[in-house]
Amino acid sequence: MIRKAILMKELKNYYGNGLNYDYINFSDYFRSLSGEGKRQSLVSERKFEEIKTQIGARLSELIAEYTGYESTSVMKETANDIFVSLLYCLDMALFGFSSHEEALEYLIDNDVSAVYEKGQRVIKQCVFECISLLVKVKNSRINYPDRRYNGLFEGEILNYLKKYDSKYFAHGTKRVFSYNSVNGCGGYRGILHLKRYLENLLFENDFVNSFGEETVQSVCYGYCENNGIEYNDMGINIYSLVLMNRVFAEMAGKDGVEVLKEDAARVSKLLKKLPEPQQRKIIIESGEKVSDAPYLQKSLIKLAGHAVNAINNNDLNRIIYIGELR
Amino acid sequence: MYFKNKKKNSLISINQMQVSDPAALKNALIELNSMTREYGLFLTVKQVNRLAEAVQRALRESDRIEIGAGIMPVLAEEFSTSVFVNRENYAQLLEELVFIFFHVKTAVCDRISDRELVRILRDYYENKALGSVEIMRERDIDLLIKYIETENGYGMSRDGDTYDSESYTDERT
């Protein structure tokens, strides 16, 4: 394998044709990689046709299985779902390689059936990882009675996992959960999307829990009270609330998450004197002092925008809890 | 791995996938000749080619994808024993039937197996349409669909018309 990769690189250097990464698309990996391989003559015309024929054969088998061998035809929409699911499975088999060249090499050396079987194994492994992550997220659950947040653990995620169809609808993605993590799932689809979502939740739970149960509850209850909303229907991500409280406390020169009225007034007054990009920069820099975790840094970029708007509209109550912790 | 952008690439699409097998279909129909010959039925190579094209047209019309040799050999085998089928109308009947088959199958959202649908079509053709595929296609196709959808048993009425196969018997047997 390594020898072949070296050979491929040598050929690339000799002929000047290597993979152009511009044409390789993460959300359509197998197709874009094989297409680019063909364009650069790393995959021969004959091999490419062979791949297509093998995909056709695999698709036929899957359609037959799908109908329970009781039908020789399906609606185009159904066939398309099965086809996309098959491609997703091939993507999953190829994601494990450290470079596009290695992935392409594997594709050339193996027939589609073998790649597909590997993809199925990877998907199954990913499902197990999601179950394990779900247990971890559940164990680190934030002790606050928000309806949407708790709904996640009362069946929402588990139901998705139970219904997840790795064979005929592996690419199926639950894009919207009743409670969203602050950071998105980076364009992932299918089971990878859920995995990323659970990883996000796990980070958020751990961060929030690091401030202690009573403190977090105090921030959440106080926030609902200040905004006149039901305790169990916050409509805001708990992590974002706690994080922004921590960032504003940091800007006020305090530890913890408590932001008193005078702290908020002082920070707002100072920030308002600055242009928006500067305000944003200060908020992000203060956040960087809180933690250097990449997830948190990414959250800050998103949340800083909301914070700037809230400050300039005298609406800071909307994003943080201002008041004494009980 | 490094991903730079999200440009689309569609060198491999479902429309390019060869899931049906026209050669297998043609072979199956030609092979059937040896069996149907005893009923005086025979398909020429020209007719076989025409039927293979008809299948593709019917699939396009009903927005379906077929695998392997498909349904045509099954239809041919089933209908070749019908009393209403003869040398003259055999090929034309199969051509019409394949359109009806895919239309009904799509209309009922695939809630019926191939075998069961072929059985119902044969039953209807013999006992209700009395050998007129035009009646099936032009007049009674909705009745057939409704019957399959509701699974209401034989005897559904539409404008005073009923589909009741119990009162008919298969004369060929």
Side-chain angles (χ1 to χ4, degrees), chain B residues 59-86:
Chain B
L59 285 167
R60 273 197 300 277
E61 246 182 46
S62 51
D63 219 14
R64 299 185 69 81
I65 279 185
E66 195 175 49
I67 52 172
I71 197 64
M72 186 59 98
V74 182
L75 284 170
E77 193 177 348
E78 181 72 26
F79 280 79
S80 63
T81 55
S82 168
V83 282
F84 295 103
V85 180
N86 54 48

Side-chain angles (χ1 to χ4, degrees), chain B:
Chain B
M1 270 188 275
Y2 171 70
F3 294 96
K4 202 167 175 183
N5 76 2
K6 292 183 176 177
K7 279 180 189 169
K8 284 281 171 195
N9 181 314
S10 56
L11 283 169
I12 298 172
S13 74
I14 188 149
N15 296 326
Q16 297 170 319
M17 290 299 112
Q18 188 67 48
V19 286
S20 64
D21 190 345
L25 161 64
K26 288 175 190 175
N27 287 339
L29 288 177
I30 287 166
E31 272 174 31
L32 260 182
N33 278 340
S34 57
M35 191 198 93
T36 58
R37 208 183 289 267
E38 66 175 289
Y39 309 123
L41 304 174
F42 184 83
L43 290 169
T44 63
V45 174
K46 199 176 168 189
Q47 283 172 323
V48 165
N49 287 335
R50 197 183 143 94
L51 284 172
E53 283 167 22
V55 169
Q56 292 309 314
R57 274 202 317 279
L59 285 167
R60 273 197 300 277
E61 246 182 46
S62 51
D63 219 14
R64 299 185 69 81
I65 279 185
E66 195 175 49
I67 52 172
I71 197 64
M72 186 59 98
V74 182
L75 284 170
E77 193 177 348
E78 181 72 26
F79 280 79
S80 63
T81 55
S82 168
V83 282
F84 295 103
V85 180
N86 54 48
R87 176 77 187 89
E88 281 69 42
N89 69 3
Y90 182 42
Q92 184 60 33
L93 170 71
L94 292 179
E95 196 173 326
E96 294 275 354
L97 278 172
V98 81
F99 278 88
I100 296 172
F101 178 88
F102 287 137
H103 180 84
V104 174
K105 188 106 177 166
T106 297
V108 300
C109 299
D110 290 358
R111 281 193 291 264
I112 187 167
S113 72
D114 281 3
R115 285 277 168 195
E116 181 64 1
L117 180 54
V118 170
R119 190 194 61 76
I120 289 174
L121 290 179
R122 157 96 189 245
D123 193 25
Y124 198 94
Y125 175 73
E126 297 210 320
N127 301 323
K128 189 64 187 165
L130 300 175
S132 169
V133 74
E134 290 77 23
I135 285 179
M136 285 173 78
R137 188 173 183 174
E138 304 299 330
R139 196 192 74 181
D140 290 349
I141 199 157
D142 291 340
L143 186 66
L144 265 166
I145 293 165
K146 211 167 178 187
Y147 163 71
I148 294 164
E149 272 179 343
T150 55
E151 292 181 343
N152 208 14
Y154 298 108
M156 277 211 26
S157 66
R158 188 199 64 173
D159 302 331
D161 201 1
T162 56
Y163 171 32
D164 181 3
S165 77
E166 298 299 321
S167 57
Y168 299 92
T169 52
D170 188 347
E171 293 166 25
R172 190 67 176 245
T173 55

